[in-house]
Amino acid sequence: MPGVISHKRIIINAVSAAVQVIVVGLMYFLLYRYLIRILGPAQLGVWALVVSTSSIANFANFGITSGLVKFVADYRETSDNERMNKLIFTAFVSILLFFAILIFIGYLGVNLILRLVIGPQYIGLALRLLPYSLLCLFINEVGGIYTSILEGFQKNYVRNIIYICGSICFLVISYQLVPRYGLMGVTYAQVIQSALIFLSAFIAGTLNLKGFTLLKWNWDRQIFKSLISYGSKFQLVSLLQLLYEPATKMLLTSFGGLSAVGYYEMASRLINQVRALIVNANQVMIPVVAQASHSGMDAVVKLYQRTMSVTLLVNVPAICAVISFSSFISVIWIGHIEPAFIFPLVILSVTIFFNIMCGPAYYSSLGQGKLNLLVYVHVFMAALNIILGWILGKLFGGHGVVLAWGLTFTLGSLALIIYFQRDMLIGFTRVFSKADWTLLFTAIIFTVFAVFINVNYTKTKVIITLLTFAVVFIPLLWSNDNAKAIFRKALNV
Protein backbone atom coordinates (compact mmCIF):
# COMPACT_ATOMS: atom_id res chain seq x y z
CA MET A 1 0.00 0.00 0.00
CA PRO A 2 1.53 3.37 -1.05
CA GLY A 3 2.66 5.59 1.80
CA VAL A 4 3.16 2.75 4.28
CA ILE A 5 6.58 1.42 5.22
CA SER A 6 6.15 -2.30 5.85
CA HIS A 7 8.62 -3.56 8.45
CA LYS A 8 7.77 -7.14 7.55
CA ARG A 9 8.49 -6.44 3.89
CA ILE A 10 11.85 -4.92 4.84
CA ILE A 11 12.70 -8.05 6.83
CA ILE A 12 11.63 -10.38 4.00
CA ASN A 13 13.72 -8.40 1.52
CA ALA A 14 16.73 -8.37 3.84
CA VAL A 15 16.51 -12.10 4.58
CA SER A 16 16.11 -12.99 0.91
CA ALA A 17 19.10 -10.76 0.12
CA ALA A 18 21.13 -12.69 2.69
CA VAL A 19 20.06 -16.01 1.19
CA GLN A 20 20.96 -14.77 -2.29
CA VAL A 21 24.42 -13.71 -1.17
CA ILE A 22 25.02 -17.04 0.56
CA VAL A 23 23.96 -19.03 -2.51
CA VAL A 24 25.98 -16.84 -4.90
CA GLY A 25 28.97 -17.02 -2.55
CA LEU A 26 28.78 -20.81 -2.42
CA MET A 27 28.46 -20.90 -6.20
CA TYR A 28 31.62 -18.83 -6.69
CA PHE A 29 33.44 -20.84 -4.03
CA LEU A 30 32.78 -24.05 -5.95
CA LEU A 31 33.40 -22.47 -9.36
CA TYR A 32 36.70 -20.78 -8.46
CA ARG A 33 38.02 -23.86 -6.70
CA TYR A 34 37.16 -25.85 -9.83
CA LEU A 35 38.67 -23.30 -12.24
CA ILE A 36 41.91 -22.80 -10.33
CA ARG A 37 42.51 -26.55 -10.23
CA ILE A 38 41.54 -27.18 -13.86
CA LEU A 39 42.81 -24.00 -15.56
CA GLY A 40 45.19 -22.42 -13.02
CA PRO A 41 45.34 -18.97 -11.37
CA ALA A 42 46.69 -17.21 -14.48
CA GLN A 43 43.63 -18.05 -16.63
CA LEU A 44 41.35 -17.11 -13.73
CA GLY A 45 43.23 -13.79 -13.69
CA VAL A 46 42.59 -13.34 -17.43
CA TRP A 47 38.87 -13.89 -16.98
CA ALA A 48 38.70 -11.53 -13.98
CA LEU A 49 40.61 -8.83 -15.86
CA VAL A 50 38.40 -9.08 -18.98
CA VAL A 51 35.17 -8.96 -16.98
CA SER A 52 36.25 -6.03 -14.81
CA THR A 53 37.74 -4.05 -17.69
CA SER A 54 34.76 -4.55 -20.01
CA SER A 55 32.48 -3.32 -17.21
CA ILE A 56 33.79 0.18 -17.97
CA ALA A 57 31.34 0.12 -20.91
CA ASN A 58 28.61 0.61 -18.30
CA PHE A 59 29.03 4.34 -18.94
CA ALA A 60 26.64 3.74 -21.86
CA ASN A 61 23.61 3.64 -19.54
CA PHE A 62 24.16 7.29 -18.47
CA GLY A 63 22.92 6.38 -14.98
CA ILE A 64 19.40 5.63 -16.20
CA THR A 65 18.96 2.30 -14.42
CA SER A 66 20.60 3.75 -11.31
CA GLY A 67 17.81 6.29 -10.81
CA LEU A 68 14.94 3.97 -11.67
CA VAL A 69 14.54 2.53 -8.16
CA LYS A 70 13.95 6.00 -6.70
CA PHE A 71 11.59 7.12 -9.49
CA VAL A 72 9.58 3.88 -9.39
CA ALA A 73 9.21 4.31 -5.62
CA ASP A 74 8.13 7.95 -6.07
CA TYR A 75 5.50 7.14 -8.75
CA ARG A 76 4.26 4.22 -6.70
CA GLU A 77 3.90 6.59 -3.74
CA THR A 78 1.59 8.83 -5.81
CA SER A 79 -0.14 5.89 -7.60
CA ASP A 80 0.70 7.49 -10.96
CA ASN A 81 0.41 4.42 -13.22
CA GLU A 82 0.51 6.39 -16.47
CA ARG A 83 3.81 8.08 -15.67
CA MET A 84 5.14 4.80 -14.29
CA ASN A 85 4.58 3.12 -17.67
CA LYS A 86 6.14 6.06 -19.49
CA LEU A 87 9.11 5.86 -17.12
CA ILE A 88 9.81 2.19 -17.89
CA PHE A 89 9.29 2.57 -21.64
CA THR A 90 11.52 5.66 -21.78
CA ALA A 91 14.25 3.89 -19.82
CA PHE A 92 14.02 0.79 -22.04
CA VAL A 93 14.33 2.72 -25.33
CA SER A 94 17.12 4.92 -23.95
CA ILE A 95 19.24 1.98 -22.81
CA LEU A 96 18.80 0.18 -26.14
CA LEU A 97 19.85 3.23 -28.16
CA PHE A 98 22.76 4.24 -25.95
CA PHE A 99 24.21 0.75 -25.78
CA ALA A 100 23.78 0.07 -29.50
CA ILE A 101 25.85 3.16 -30.28
CA LEU A 102 28.39 3.18 -27.49
CA ILE A 103 29.15 -0.48 -26.77
CA PHE A 104 31.10 -0.64 -30.05
CA ILE A 105 33.25 2.27 -28.87
CA GLY A 106 33.66 0.48 -25.54
CA TYR A 107 34.81 -2.65 -27.38
CA LEU A 108 37.56 -0.74 -29.17
CA GLY A 109 38.72 0.94 -25.96
CA VAL A 110 38.79 -2.23 -23.86
CA ASN A 111 40.50 -4.10 -26.70
CA LEU A 112 43.32 -1.55 -26.61
CA ILE A 113 43.61 -1.68 -22.80
CA LEU A 114 43.86 -5.48 -22.76
CA ARG A 115 46.58 -5.43 -25.42
CA LEU A 116 48.59 -3.05 -23.24
CA VAL A 117 48.39 -5.00 -19.97
CA ILE A 118 48.19 -8.69 -21.00
CA GLY A 119 51.21 -10.47 -22.43
CA PRO A 120 51.27 -12.40 -25.74
CA GLN A 121 50.65 -15.76 -24.05
CA TYR A 122 47.06 -14.89 -23.04
CA ILE A 123 46.05 -11.92 -25.20
CA GLY A 124 44.36 -14.15 -27.81
CA LEU A 125 42.22 -15.80 -25.13
CA ALA A 126 41.34 -12.43 -23.59
CA LEU A 127 40.19 -11.00 -26.92
CA ARG A 128 38.00 -14.07 -27.58
CA LEU A 129 36.34 -13.57 -24.18
CA LEU A 130 35.73 -9.84 -24.65
CA PRO A 131 32.69 -9.84 -27.04
CA TYR A 132 30.80 -12.30 -24.83
CA SER A 133 31.60 -10.27 -21.73
CA LEU A 134 30.19 -7.13 -23.39
CA LEU A 135 27.11 -9.07 -24.53
CA CYS A 136 26.47 -10.13 -20.92
CA LEU A 137 26.86 -6.53 -19.84
CA PHE A 138 24.29 -5.39 -22.41
CA ILE A 139 21.74 -8.05 -21.39
CA ASN A 140 22.26 -7.31 -17.70
CA GLU A 141 21.76 -3.56 -18.19
CA VAL A 142 18.46 -4.04 -20.03
CA GLY A 143 17.38 -6.56 -17.40
CA GLY A 144 18.30 -4.02 -14.72
CA ILE A 145 15.33 -1.91 -15.83
CA TYR A 146 12.94 -4.65 -14.74
CA THR A 147 14.75 -5.59 -11.53
CA SER A 148 14.53 -1.87 -10.65
CA ILE A 149 10.74 -2.17 -10.86
CA LEU A 150 10.84 -4.95 -8.27
CA GLU A 151 13.10 -2.91 -5.99
CA GLY A 152 10.94 0.20 -6.33
CA PHE A 153 7.89 -1.85 -5.33
CA GLN A 154 9.91 -3.21 -2.37
CA LYS A 155 9.78 -6.70 -3.89
CA ASN A 156 13.50 -7.29 -3.67
CA TYR A 157 12.79 -10.86 -2.59
CA VAL A 158 11.48 -11.66 -6.08
CA ARG A 159 14.63 -10.21 -7.65
CA ASN A 160 16.75 -12.19 -5.20
CA ILE A 161 15.00 -15.46 -6.09
CA ILE A 162 15.68 -14.75 -9.76
CA TYR A 163 19.38 -14.17 -9.07
CA ILE A 164 19.60 -17.30 -6.93
CA CYS A 165 18.19 -19.48 -9.71
CA GLY A 166 20.42 -17.76 -12.28
CA SER A 167 23.53 -18.41 -10.17
CA ILE A 168 22.75 -22.09 -9.78
CA CYS A 169 22.25 -22.39 -13.55
CA PHE A 170 25.56 -20.59 -14.13
CA LEU A 171 27.44 -23.08 -11.94
CA VAL A 172 25.84 -26.16 -13.46
CA ILE A 173 26.35 -24.98 -17.05
CA SER A 174 29.97 -23.98 -16.33
CA TYR A 175 30.70 -27.48 -15.00
CA GLN A 176 29.30 -28.89 -18.23
CA LEU A 177 31.09 -26.53 -20.65
CA VAL A 178 34.54 -25.94 -19.10
CA PRO A 179 35.87 -29.49 -19.77
CA ARG A 180 35.02 -29.03 -23.45
CA TYR A 181 35.66 -25.32 -24.10
CA GLY A 182 38.03 -24.31 -21.30
CA LEU A 183 37.71 -20.73 -20.08
CA MET A 184 35.37 -19.92 -22.99
CA GLY A 185 32.88 -22.31 -21.39
CA VAL A 186 32.56 -19.98 -18.38
CA THR A 187 31.74 -17.09 -20.71
CA TYR A 188 29.14 -19.11 -22.61
CA ALA A 189 27.55 -20.00 -19.27
CA GLN A 190 27.49 -16.29 -18.32
CA VAL A 191 25.59 -15.38 -21.48
CA ILE A 192 22.99 -18.08 -20.79
CA GLN A 193 22.69 -16.93 -17.17
CA SER A 194 22.18 -13.30 -18.22
CA ALA A 195 19.47 -14.25 -20.73
CA LEU A 196 17.57 -16.32 -18.16
CA ILE A 197 17.72 -13.52 -15.57
CA PHE A 198 16.54 -10.96 -18.13
CA LEU A 199 13.50 -13.02 -19.17
CA SER A 200 12.54 -13.75 -15.57
CA ALA A 201 12.96 -10.12 -14.49
CA PHE A 202 10.95 -8.87 -17.47
CA ILE A 203 8.01 -11.14 -16.61
CA ALA A 204 8.11 -10.51 -12.86
CA GLY A 205 8.68 -6.74 -13.20
CA THR A 206 5.94 -6.01 -15.74
CA LEU A 207 3.37 -7.94 -13.67
CA ASN A 208 3.50 -5.00 -11.23
CA LEU A 209 2.60 -2.48 -13.95
CA LYS A 210 -0.93 -1.74 -15.08
CA GLY A 211 -1.37 -1.47 -18.84
CA PHE A 212 2.33 -1.57 -19.69
CA THR A 213 3.36 -2.64 -23.21
CA LEU A 214 6.42 -2.27 -25.40
CA LEU A 215 4.25 -2.31 -28.53
CA LYS A 216 2.97 1.23 -27.96
CA TRP A 217 5.25 4.25 -28.30
CA ASN A 218 5.24 5.81 -24.85
CA TRP A 219 8.36 8.00 -24.80
CA ASP A 220 8.26 10.99 -22.45
CA ARG A 221 10.81 13.74 -22.95
CA GLN A 222 10.35 15.24 -19.48
CA ILE A 223 10.85 11.88 -17.78
CA PHE A 224 13.95 11.31 -19.91
CA LYS A 225 15.37 14.65 -18.74
CA SER A 226 14.60 13.75 -15.12
CA LEU A 227 16.34 10.37 -15.49
CA ILE A 228 19.40 11.98 -17.05
CA SER A 229 19.45 14.81 -14.50
CA TYR A 230 19.39 12.39 -11.56
CA GLY A 231 21.39 9.73 -13.35
CA SER A 232 24.21 12.00 -14.54
CA LYS A 233 25.51 12.49 -11.02
CA PHE A 234 24.85 8.88 -10.13
CA GLN A 235 26.51 7.81 -13.36
CA LEU A 236 29.62 9.75 -12.45
CA VAL A 237 29.62 7.90 -9.11
CA SER A 238 29.05 4.57 -10.90
CA LEU A 239 31.72 5.27 -13.52
CA LEU A 240 34.26 6.14 -10.84
CA GLN A 241 33.33 2.93 -9.00
CA LEU A 242 33.80 0.99 -12.23
CA LEU A 243 37.30 2.43 -12.57
CA TYR A 244 38.39 1.07 -9.18
CA GLU A 245 38.45 -2.63 -9.97
CA PRO A 246 39.88 -2.42 -13.53
CA ALA A 247 42.52 0.10 -12.42
CA THR A 248 43.54 -2.06 -9.46
CA LYS A 249 43.68 -5.22 -11.55
CA MET A 250 45.63 -3.56 -14.36
CA LEU A 251 48.16 -2.22 -11.86
CA LEU A 252 48.28 -5.62 -10.19
CA THR A 253 48.91 -7.28 -13.57
CA SER A 254 51.80 -4.90 -14.22
CA PHE A 255 53.43 -5.20 -10.80
CA GLY A 256 52.39 -8.70 -9.69
CA GLY A 257 51.41 -10.76 -12.75
CA LEU A 258 48.22 -12.57 -13.83
CA SER A 259 48.48 -15.18 -11.07
CA ALA A 260 48.37 -12.37 -8.49
CA VAL A 261 45.24 -11.08 -10.23
CA GLY A 262 43.69 -14.55 -10.01
CA TYR A 263 44.31 -14.84 -6.27
CA TYR A 264 43.19 -11.23 -5.74
CA GLU A 265 39.98 -12.04 -7.62
CA MET A 266 39.31 -14.94 -5.24
CA ALA A 267 39.97 -12.81 -2.15
CA SER A 268 37.91 -9.94 -3.55
CA ARG A 269 35.02 -12.23 -4.47
CA LEU A 270 34.96 -13.78 -0.99
CA ILE A 271 35.04 -10.54 0.95
CA ASN A 272 32.58 -8.87 -1.42
CA GLN A 273 30.12 -11.70 -0.79
CA VAL A 274 30.44 -11.01 2.94
CA ARG A 275 29.95 -7.32 2.18
CA ALA A 276 26.94 -8.03 -0.01
CA LEU A 277 25.41 -10.14 2.76
CA ILE A 278 25.16 -7.00 4.87
CA VAL A 279 24.98 -4.19 2.31
CA ASN A 280 22.20 -5.78 0.24
CA ALA A 281 20.06 -5.62 3.36
CA ASN A 282 20.82 -1.87 3.52
CA GLN A 283 19.99 -1.45 -0.17
CA VAL A 284 16.36 -2.29 0.46
CA MET A 285 16.26 1.01 2.37
CA ILE A 286 16.46 3.17 -0.82
CA PRO A 287 12.70 3.11 -1.52
CA VAL A 288 12.00 3.15 2.23
CA VAL A 289 14.09 6.31 2.70
CA ALA A 290 12.39 7.82 -0.37
CA GLN A 291 9.07 7.29 1.41
CA ALA A 292 10.36 8.42 4.80
CA SER A 293 11.71 11.68 3.34
CA HIS A 294 8.10 12.70 2.69
CA SER A 295 7.55 12.57 6.46
CA GLY A 296 10.49 14.86 7.32
CA MET A 297 14.15 14.44 8.22
CA ASP A 298 13.44 13.01 11.68
CA ALA A 299 12.12 9.84 10.06
CA VAL A 300 15.24 9.56 7.88
CA VAL A 301 17.54 10.08 10.88
CA LYS A 302 15.78 7.36 12.88
CA LEU A 303 16.05 4.93 9.98
CA TYR A 304 19.76 5.76 9.65
CA GLN A 305 20.47 5.25 13.35
CA ARG A 306 18.68 1.92 13.46
CA THR A 307 20.38 0.67 10.31
CA MET A 308 23.85 1.70 11.50
CA SER A 309 23.43 -0.17 14.76
CA VAL A 310 22.22 -3.34 13.06
CA THR A 311 25.01 -3.07 10.49
CA LEU A 312 27.68 -2.89 13.20
CA LEU A 313 26.25 -5.89 15.03
CA VAL A 314 26.49 -8.04 11.91
CA ASN A 315 29.63 -6.47 10.45
CA VAL A 316 31.94 -6.93 13.43
CA PRO A 317 31.73 -10.73 13.89
CA ALA A 318 31.56 -11.38 10.12
CA ILE A 319 34.76 -9.49 9.24
CA CYS A 320 36.47 -10.74 12.40
CA ALA A 321 35.73 -14.33 11.34
CA VAL A 322 37.15 -13.86 7.81
CA ILE A 323 40.44 -12.46 9.10
CA SER A 324 40.75 -14.98 11.92
CA PHE A 325 40.21 -17.99 9.65
CA SER A 326 42.06 -16.69 6.57
CA SER A 327 44.67 -19.49 6.65
CA PHE A 328 41.96 -22.12 7.01
CA ILE A 329 40.01 -20.59 4.10
CA SER A 330 43.13 -20.74 1.94
CA VAL A 331 43.66 -24.44 2.66
CA ILE A 332 40.01 -25.32 2.01
CA TRP A 333 39.66 -23.22 -1.17
CA ILE A 334 43.10 -23.45 -2.79
CA GLY A 335 44.47 -26.60 -1.19
CA HIS A 336 47.38 -24.97 0.66
CA ILE A 337 48.37 -21.79 2.49
CA GLU A 338 48.81 -19.22 -0.28
CA PRO A 339 50.29 -15.87 0.86
CA ALA A 340 49.27 -14.25 -2.45
CA PHE A 341 45.66 -15.00 -1.45
CA ILE A 342 45.83 -14.38 2.31
CA PHE A 343 47.45 -10.92 2.11
CA PRO A 344 44.75 -9.31 -0.09
CA LEU A 345 42.05 -11.13 1.90
CA VAL A 346 43.19 -9.56 5.18
CA ILE A 347 43.71 -6.08 3.67
CA LEU A 348 40.34 -6.18 1.89
CA SER A 349 38.60 -7.43 5.04
CA VAL A 350 39.73 -4.40 7.06
CA THR A 351 38.81 -2.14 4.17
CA ILE A 352 35.38 -3.67 3.66
CA PHE A 353 34.58 -3.27 7.36
CA PHE A 354 34.67 0.51 6.97
CA ASN A 355 32.94 0.37 3.60
CA ILE A 356 30.09 -1.67 5.06
CA MET A 357 29.70 0.88 7.83
CA CYS A 358 29.26 3.67 5.28
CA GLY A 359 26.44 1.69 3.60
CA PRO A 360 23.59 3.34 5.53
CA ALA A 361 24.97 6.81 4.71
CA TYR A 362 25.38 5.84 1.05
CA TYR A 363 21.89 4.43 0.59
CA SER A 364 20.28 7.17 2.68
CA SER A 365 21.89 9.69 0.31
CA LEU A 366 20.50 7.80 -2.68
CA GLY A 367 17.04 7.60 -1.15
CA GLN A 368 17.01 11.37 -0.58
CA GLY A 369 18.50 12.10 -4.01
CA LYS A 370 21.56 13.83 -2.45
CA LEU A 371 24.39 12.81 -4.76
CA ASN A 372 26.92 15.67 -4.53
CA LEU A 373 28.61 14.13 -1.49
CA LEU A 374 28.92 10.78 -3.25
CA VAL A 375 30.46 12.43 -6.31
CA TYR A 376 33.11 14.26 -4.26
CA VAL A 377 34.08 11.14 -2.30
CA HIS A 378 34.36 8.93 -5.38
CA VAL A 379 36.40 11.47 -7.35
CA PHE A 380 38.82 11.54 -4.43
CA MET A 381 38.98 7.73 -4.28
CA ALA A 382 39.43 7.23 -8.03
CA ALA A 383 42.38 9.64 -8.18
CA LEU A 384 44.04 8.44 -4.97
CA ASN A 385 43.76 4.75 -5.93
CA ILE A 386 45.67 5.25 -9.20
CA ILE A 387 48.33 7.52 -7.67
CA LEU A 388 48.93 5.37 -4.58
CA GLY A 389 48.67 2.15 -6.60
CA TRP A 390 51.43 3.27 -8.95
CA ILE A 391 53.71 4.53 -6.16
CA LEU A 392 53.29 1.56 -3.79
CA GLY A 393 53.31 -0.88 -6.71
CA LYS A 394 56.74 0.46 -7.73
CA LEU A 395 57.98 0.11 -4.14
CA PHE A 396 56.38 -3.17 -2.99
CA GLY A 397 55.09 -4.91 -6.12
CA GLY A 398 51.63 -6.52 -6.11
CA HIS A 399 51.27 -6.19 -2.32
CA GLY A 400 51.74 -2.43 -2.67
CA VAL A 401 48.87 -2.20 -5.20
CA VAL A 402 46.54 -4.09 -2.85
CA LEU A 403 47.60 -1.94 0.11
CA ALA A 404 46.99 1.23 -1.92
CA TRP A 405 43.45 0.15 -2.74
CA GLY A 406 42.82 -0.73 0.90
CA LEU A 407 43.96 2.69 2.13
CA THR A 408 41.96 4.48 -0.57
CA PHE A 409 38.73 2.60 0.07
CA THR A 410 39.03 3.01 3.84
CA LEU A 411 39.64 6.76 3.68
CA GLY A 412 36.76 7.25 1.22
CA SER A 413 34.35 5.27 3.38
CA LEU A 414 35.29 7.19 6.53
CA ALA A 415 34.92 10.51 4.69
CA LEU A 416 31.41 9.58 3.53
CA ILE A 417 30.29 8.65 7.06
CA ILE A 418 31.75 11.79 8.65
CA TYR A 419 30.38 14.26 6.11
CA PHE A 420 26.96 12.62 5.89
CA GLN A 421 26.52 12.66 9.68
CA ARG A 422 27.73 16.24 9.86
CA ASP A 423 25.16 17.22 7.23
CA MET A 424 22.42 15.40 9.16
CA LEU A 425 23.68 16.79 12.52
CA ILE A 426 24.19 13.27 13.89
CA GLY A 427 27.05 12.59 16.31
CA PHE A 428 28.63 9.16 16.77
CA THR A 429 27.42 9.14 20.39
CA ARG A 430 23.84 9.21 19.08
CA VAL A 431 24.43 6.39 16.62
CA PHE A 432 26.23 3.76 18.70
CA SER A 433 25.52 2.57 22.22
CA LYS A 434 28.03 1.54 24.88
CA ALA A 435 27.32 -2.10 24.03
CA ASP A 436 28.18 -1.43 20.38
CA TRP A 437 31.57 0.06 21.32
CA THR A 438 32.24 -2.88 23.65
CA LEU A 439 31.57 -5.29 20.79
CA LEU A 440 33.93 -3.40 18.48
CA PHE A 441 36.90 -3.24 20.87
CA THR A 442 36.46 -6.88 21.89
CA ALA A 443 36.54 -7.88 18.22
CA ILE A 444 39.81 -6.01 17.67
CA ILE A 445 41.48 -7.79 20.58
CA PHE A 446 40.19 -11.20 19.46
CA THR A 447 41.31 -10.68 15.85
CA VAL A 448 44.88 -9.83 16.91
CA PHE A 449 44.90 -12.97 19.07
CA ALA A 450 43.50 -15.17 16.28
CA VAL A 451 45.94 -13.93 13.64
CA PHE A 452 48.87 -14.44 16.02
CA ILE A 453 48.10 -18.07 16.86
CA ASN A 454 47.19 -19.01 13.27
CA VAL A 455 50.41 -17.80 11.63
CA ASN A 456 51.38 -21.46 11.33
CA TYR A 457 48.20 -23.32 10.37
CA THR A 458 47.15 -26.49 12.22
CA LYS A 459 43.75 -28.09 12.68
CA THR A 460 44.10 -27.82 16.46
CA LYS A 461 44.66 -24.05 16.28
CA VAL A 462 41.63 -23.67 14.03
CA ILE A 463 39.44 -25.55 16.52
CA ILE A 464 40.77 -23.43 19.41
CA THR A 465 40.07 -20.24 17.45
CA LEU A 466 36.55 -21.39 16.55
CA LEU A 467 35.67 -22.25 20.17
CA THR A 468 37.12 -18.96 21.41
CA PHE A 469 35.15 -17.09 18.76
CA ALA A 470 31.90 -18.69 19.96
CA VAL A 471 32.68 -18.06 23.63
CA VAL A 472 33.47 -14.39 22.99
CA PHE A 473 30.80 -13.32 20.50
CA ILE A 474 27.67 -15.32 21.34
CA PRO A 475 27.28 -13.79 24.84
CA LEU A 476 28.07 -10.30 23.51
CA LEU A 477 25.41 -10.49 20.83
CA TRP A 478 22.90 -12.27 23.05
CA SER A 479 23.14 -9.63 25.79
CA ASN A 480 23.09 -6.60 23.49
CA ASP A 481 19.98 -4.67 24.59
CA ASN A 482 20.18 -2.39 21.58
CA ALA A 483 20.07 -5.33 19.19
CA LYS A 484 17.13 -6.95 20.97
CA ALA A 485 15.18 -3.68 20.98
CA ILE A 486 15.78 -3.17 17.25
CA PHE A 487 14.73 -6.69 16.30
CA ARG A 488 11.62 -6.52 18.51
CA LYS A 489 10.55 -3.30 16.84
CA ALA A 490 11.30 -4.65 13.36
CA LEU A 491 9.18 -7.72 14.05
CA ASN A 492 6.40 -5.62 15.60
CA VAL A 493 6.57 -7.70 18.76
Side-chain angles (χ1 to χ4, degrees), residues 279-316:
V279 172
N280 279 8
N282 286 330
Q283 192 171 2
V284 306
M285 300 303 293
I286 296 178
V288 177
V289 171
Q291 287 186 3
S293 61
H294 292 283
S295 303
M297 295 311 300
D298 286 343
V300 175
V301 171
K302 289 179 181 178
L303 277 173
Y304 174 77
Q305 291 172 324
R306 183 174 62 191
T307 308
M308 278 290 280
S309 187
V310 172
T311 300
L312 183 74
L313 291 167
V314 180
N315 191 12
V316 167

Side-chain angles (χ1 to χ4, degrees), residues 367-387:
Q368 297 174 72
K370 297 180 178 180
L371 300 180
N372 286 339
L373 174 60
L374 303 184
V375 171
Y376 299 148
V377 169
H378 285 292
V379 168
F380 163 77
M381 290 171 61
L384 186 62
N385 180 45
I386 295 174
I387 295 170

